[in-house]
Amino acid sequence: AQKITQTQPGMFVQEKEAVTLDCTYDTSDQSYGLFWYKQPSSGEMIFLIYQGSYDEQNATEGRYSLNFQKARKSANLVISASQLGDSAMYFCAMRGSAGGFKTIFGAGTRLFVKA
Amino acid sequence: KAGVTQTPRYLIKTRGQQVTLSCSPISGHRSVSWYQQTPGQGLQFLFEYFSETQRNKGNFPGRFSGRQFSNSRSEMNVSTLELGDSALYLCASSLRDSLTDTQYFGPGTRLTVL
C-alpha cells in the first residue's frame, strides 16, 4: 500500500525566512512521482513542484525546492524568502504504478507567514 | 490557455436527491480525475478517466459514478445524497495517464447536503 505522511499540522514562519515542510512516503514502487500542491483559502489546488523517483537532482521552481532523500523516503518542500501570500495549506502527493496510477495525498500542513 | 473549469461552483441539495457535477479539462488534456475533500477525511480519490475509459476507482460506494465524453469533459454523479457527501469536489486534468504528468486542479464544487 502507498502512504503519504505529513507530520506538521501547522507551522509558523517569519516573512522573508525559509521554511521546510516535511513529507515522508511509503511505497513498494521503483518508479513514482512526488508532487507538492498549495491550497489557499479559496480552495483551488495549485501545483508547485514535481520530483521523479529516478531524478538525481532535487527539483527547483523559483522559491520552491524539493529536498528528495530517496533512501529515507522523504520529499520535503523548502520555501525560501517566505511571503505573506504563502500562507496556505500545503499537500504532498505521490503517484505510483502500484497504486494503479492513483494520486494519494497527505493530510497537509497549514503554513502561517507572520509579518 | 484556459485552466480546468468546474460547474457549478456551489450547490445545495437535500438528502435523497441526486447531483451532477461537471469538469472541463485544460485543452489537450485527456485524463481527468475526481477527488472529494472533507475536513475529516482529507483528499480522497474518487475516480480517473482517460480517453472515455475509467482507469481507476477509489473506495466509494456505487452511488458515486462518473463518465468522460469524447471531448474529455467529465461529469460525476452522486445519487441518493447523504449528509456525509457534503464536501469540496475537485477535478484535475493531465495530458496523459502516467506517473510523471502533473495534475492541474479546477476551483472545485462545494456541495452542501441538508
Side-chain angles (χ1 to χ4, degrees):
Chain A
Q2 299 187 98
K3 188 178 179 182
I4 294 278
T5 302
Q6 293 181 255
T7 57
Q8 307 153 313
M11 289 207 45
F12 286 87
V13 64
Q14 197 68 39
E15 193 180 11
K16 299 181 185 177
E17 291 185 350
V19 63
T20 298
L21 306 183
D22 295 340
C23 172
T24 58
Y25 60 91
D26 189 19
T27 182
S28 57
D29 282 335
Q30 294 301 310
S31 182
Y32 49 88
L34 295 158
F35 305 82
W36 276 92
Y37 288 88
K38 170 185 177 181
Q39 188 177 41
S41 55
S42 61
E44 186 166 355
M45 297 281 281
I46 302 167
F47 166 71
L48 295 177
I49 196 166
Y50 163 82
Q51 178 86 40
S53 59
Y54 288 112
D55 294 340
E56 294 188 355
Q57 291 200 326
N58 288 339
T60 60
E61 290 283 353
R63 294 186 301 110
Y64 304 107
S65 61
L66 200 153
N67 184 359
F68 180 48
Q69 297 186 44
K70 193 171 182 177
R72 296 182 60 188
K73 292 190 175 178
S74 74
N76 299 339
L77 177 71
V78 181
I79 305 174
S80 63
S82 296
Q83 302 172 355
L84 295 178
D86 293 336
S87 293
M89 197 76 169
Y90 289 81
F91 291 95
C92 179
M94 177 173 66
R95 190 170 172 89
S97 57
F101 293 94
K102 289 185 288 189
T103 303
I104 60 167
F105 288 80
T109 296
R110 184 166 294 282
L111 179 66
F112 300 91
V113 180
K114 300 182 290 184
Chain B
K1 201 178 222 184
V4 179
T5 58
Q6 291 186 246
T7 56
R9 293 292 312 279
Y10 302 91
L11 207 48
I12 298 175
K13 292 285 188 178
T14 56
R15 277 182 301 174
Q17 287 186 312
Q18 76 164 17
V19 66
T20 298
L21 311 182
S22 180
C23 171
S24 292
I26 292 171
S27 178
H29 284 195
R30 294 168 62 194
S31 177
V32 174
S33 297
W34 288 89
Y35 298 87
Q36 181 196 65
Q37 186 177 26
T38 59
Q41 299 296 318
L43 269 157
Q44 292 188 287
F45 171 79
L46 278 158
F47 24 66
E48 178 177 9
Y49 288 88
F50 179 76
S51 293
E52 301 179 68
T53 301
Q54 186 180 89
R55 299 291 288 263
N56 270 303
K57 191 176 193 304
N59 295 325
F60 279 82
R63 299 185 297 107
F64 291 81
S65 62
R67 59 178 176 168
Q68 186 181 35
F69 302 95
S70 57
N71 62 359
S72 295
R73 191 178 70 85
S74 177
E75 289 182 347
M76 67 163 280
N77 183 276
V78 188
S79 62
T80 320
L81 284 166
E82 300 177 358
L83 296 179
D85 297 333
S86 294
L88 178 66
Y89 290 88
L90 291 162
C91 164
S93 77
S94 60
L95 268 173
R96 303 159 300 179
D97 177 22
S98 77
L99 294 177
T100 59
D101 279 359
T102 297
Q103 292 183 311
Y104 295 93
F105 284 79
T109 294
R110 191 166 294 280
L111 172 65
T112 301
V113 182
L114 303 176

